[in-house]
Amino acid sequence: MKVAILGAMPEEIEPLLSALRERGVSVEAVEHANNKFYAAKLNGHDLVIAYSKIGKVNSALTATVMIEKFGARALIFTGVAGALKRGIKIGEILYATSLVQHDLDITAFGHPHGFVPGSKISVQTDARLNSIAQSVAEQLGITLKSGVIASGDQFVSGEERKSWIERMFDASAVEMEGASVAQVCDALGVPFCVLRAISDEAGHKAEFDFDEFMVKSAQTSANFVLKMIERL
């Protein structure tokens, strides 16, 4: 199977590329659409790995290229997110049960937040991939949490906005790419999952926590994804 592994930033895929090279896996870079896509083989699977750059447009573009040009038949999104619900700690991993766009707003026309005609408010992730993630967590002795992830083209740090997103969508975490990737995968019929290592906690200042914990969280996610590939 050809599997896409996608992050938003270089820091979110570099630990993955490094781990593959440490295993002696050949990694080949292919340039396309003003980006680099890395091809590798692991456990009988063809991998295509990329970082999209930040934001929903970039992530939607990159996910589409991975599926339409490179032929990915499953997609795993790995990276970091900020917690919205209390009790989710820095460094923990959360998988999305579904994803929503918190900044999508045409309520002036009588529609609910996160909805436009012809689309869904909430896009569900793939049950099989989520089950594999749960089995990997058990193998590693990690408590894997789950919940709705909200995406938007803004770095959310203010407590008022965080509280609004949590209340409106019952969201557990917030980031800037997952929901657009979900929409692409849903439209193209490709199973996907979204894994986020928590880089800052609800009730703490994201500006302070994010830089300090991003690299460590990305390494946690990368190790987790490789274990998932081994179980596919």
Side-chain angles (χ1 to χ4, degrees):
M1 179 190 295
K2 179 161 279 191
V3 182
I5 303 174
L6 179 60
M9 298 176 286
E11 295 88 346
E12 292 173 328
I13 68 163
E14 281 301 330
L16 184 61
L17 297 174
S18 295
L20 287 170
R21 291 179 178 122
E22 287 171 5
R23 294 185 181 198
V25 175
S26 175
V27 179
E28 179 184 355
V30 178
E31 294 192 11
H32 181 74
N34 197 32
N35 203 351
K36 284 186 179 180
F37 297 81
Y38 298 89
K41 292 181 179 290
L42 183 67
N43 281 53
H45 298 292
D46 293 319
L47 307 182
V48 55
I49 303 165
Y51 74 91
S52 61
K53 293 169 281 193
I54 293 170
K56 292 191 297 178
V57 173
N58 285 324
S59 60
L61 170 62
T62 308
T64 302
V65 168
M66 296 174 100
I67 294 167
E68 294 285 88
K69 178 176 174 61
F70 291 96
R73 292 295 170 260
L75 186 148
I76 300 171
F77 198 113
T78 175
V80 298
L84 294 176
K85 291 186 180 295
R86 295 185 182 275
I88 303 175
K89 302 298 183 183
I90 291 172
E92 291 185 329
I93 297 178
L94 181 140
Y95 74 86
T97 53
S98 62
L99 297 106
V100 298
Q101 297 184 65
H102 68 77
D103 62 344
L104 185 52
D105 183 356
I106 56 168
T107 55
F109 298 97
H111 297 294
H113 285 280
F115 174 80
V116 293
S119 72
K120 304 172 183 176
I121 293 179
S122 176
V123 180
Q124 306 295 311
T125 52
D126 183 71
R128 177 173 176 266
L129 290 174
N130 291 340
S131 177
I132 291 172
Q134 290 168 331
S135 68
V136 168
E138 291 176 6
Q139 175 191 352
L140 297 176
I142 292 173
T143 300
L144 181 64
K145 298 189 176 180
S146 64
V148 176
I149 292 181
S151 307
D153 281 322
Q154 52 192 235
F155 183 74
V156 178
S157 58
E159 289 306 309
E160 183 177 352
R161 181 65 180 176
K162 283 184 175 182
S163 296
W164 181 88
I165 295 169
E166 180 191 3
R167 292 195 312 271
M168 180 60 61
F169 300 102
D170 192 28
S172 294
V174 63
E175 35 89 310
M176 298 180 67
E177 299 85 20
S180 49
V181 172
Q183 191 168 23
V184 167
C185 291
D186 184 59
L188 297 176
V190 172
F192 73 100
C193 68
V194 176
L195 299 167
R196 291 292 195 173
I198 298 303
S199 58
D200 54 88
E201 296 181 37
H204 292 69
K205 289 186 177 180
E207 300 97 322
F208 174 80
D209 289 336
F210 187 77
D211 288 338
E212 183 176 353
F213 290 100
M214 180 177 63
V215 173
K216 182 178 178 180
S217 296
Q219 290 172 337
T220 300
S221 288
N223 179 57
F224 197 96
V225 168
L226 285 180
K227 293 291 185 184
M228 286 188 66
I229 298 299
E230 292 172 0
R231 287 177 174 260
L232 281 175

